[in-house]
Amino acid sequence: MARTGTPGARLTVLSGPSGVGKGSVVAEIRRHHPSVWLSVSVTTRKPRPGETDGVEYHFASEEEFTALVAEGKLLEHAEFAGHHYGTPREPVERQLAAGLPALLEIELQGARQVREAMPQAQFVFLAPPTWDELVRRLTGRGTEDDETIRRRLDAGLVELASEKEFDVVIVNDRVEHAAKQLVELL
Ligand code: 5GP
């Protein structure tokens, strides 16, 4: 179908506070919408139980990450809660060049870098139903220590205030519902 104003292939960037459930929405998309192409980020944090190198993330050392940045191989990158995260540039560019949509799930600083580099992308903010619900989700995950949770909540407060920078807001009341809304936007 012809569209006016936008190229056929579109980059969509999903962002929102840590703990809002971006990971769950993306996991739901992997399970139930396998045709959606998702960027696999590089991170220096250690894998959580159940995470596989090359699936949820490419797990890298600080040295490897620094080299990727120096070589210009990351489309964007940011430090979040003491670790580095970045989006490999080449796979995203290949996907878009082939005329196919691509989805990135990244935090706010990275989303802002992508907006600088690719202003025509679509920016989607995943919002928690309430702040209390966000705190409950972050503390209830059980995979992080108190210091990590505190750092993530601090980042979450800043990230919540950025909602107005985004083109679309999806409230993550139910994961399946949020995932469906996101897929419809791609
Ligand atoms: P987690 O450690 O919980 O998997 O991710 C922590 C935060 O890093 C989340 O907000 C997630 O969206 C973000 N993140 C994951 N990959 C990337 C990336 O490639 N770039 C940026 N800027 N943030 C990322």
Side-chain angles (χ1 to χ4, degrees), residues 95-114:
Q95 185 73 6
L96 296 176
L100 300 167
L103 176 61
L104 311 186
E105 183 256 292
I106 60 179
E107 54 65 72
L108 178 65
Q109 305 164 65
R112 286 177 175 150
Q113 291 171 42
V114 177

Side-chain angles (χ1 to χ4, degrees), residues 16 18 22 41-42 45 48 51 57 76-78 80 85-87 105-107 109-110 141 152 159:
S18 177
K22 296 192 298 294
S41 297
V42 183
R45 84 151 162 76
R48 295 193 185 116
E51 287 182 333
Y57 284 104
E76 59 72 36
H77 62 94
F80 183 89
Y85 297 83
T87 303
E105 183 256 292
I106 60 179
E107 54 65 72
Q109 305 164 65
R141 187 146 68 181
R152 283 172 183 254
E159 292 191 312

Side-chain angles (χ1 to χ4, degrees), residues 7 34-35 41 51 56 74-76 78 89 92 99 134 145 183 186:
S35 62
S41 297
E51 287 182 333
E56 289 83 5
L74 301 180
L75 179 61
E76 59 72 36
R89 180 192 301 280
V92 174
L134 182 65
D145 58 36
V183 169
L186 298 181

Side-chain angles (χ1 to χ4, degrees), residues 10-148:
R10 152 129 93 162
L11 179 63
T12 301
V13 178
L14 177 69
S15 198
S18 177
V20 74
K22 296 192 298 294
S24 307
V25 169
V26 164
E28 171 76 12
I29 289 175
R30 276 208 182 87
R31 258 197 310 277
H32 295 292
H33 308 273
S35 62
V36 171
W37 188 88
L38 272 160
S39 164
V40 180
S41 297
V42 183
T43 183
T44 59
R45 84 151 162 76
K46 296 286 166 274
R48 295 193 185 116
E51 287 182 333
T52 308
D53 189 36
V55 178
E56 289 83 5
Y57 284 104
H58 300 291
F59 296 99
S61 65
E62 288 291 342
E63 294 71 27
E64 288 165 335
F65 195 93
T66 305
L68 290 173
V69 173
E71 290 161 11
K73 296 222 166 115
L74 301 180
L75 179 61
E76 59 72 36
H77 62 94
E79 189 179 339
F80 183 89
H83 302 287
H84 290 101
Y85 297 83
T87 303
R89 180 192 301 280
E90 204 265 334
V92 174
E93 290 182 348
R94 199 172 348 111
Q95 185 73 6
L96 296 176
L100 300 167
L103 176 61
L104 311 186
E105 183 256 292
I106 60 179
E107 54 65 72
L108 178 65
Q109 305 164 65
R112 286 177 175 150
Q113 291 171 42
V114 177
R115 201 185 14 232
E116 287 292 308
M118 299 178 163
Q120 73 286 6
Q122 161 172 255
F123 294 86
V124 181
F125 188 86
L126 191 67
T130 63
W131 170 250
D132 286 351
E133 178 60 20
L134 182 65
V135 174
R136 204 183 61 72
R137 287 181 195 176
L138 257 183
T139 50
R141 187 146 68 181
T143 50
E144 274 94 22
D145 58 36
D146 287 353
E147 173 61 14
T148 304

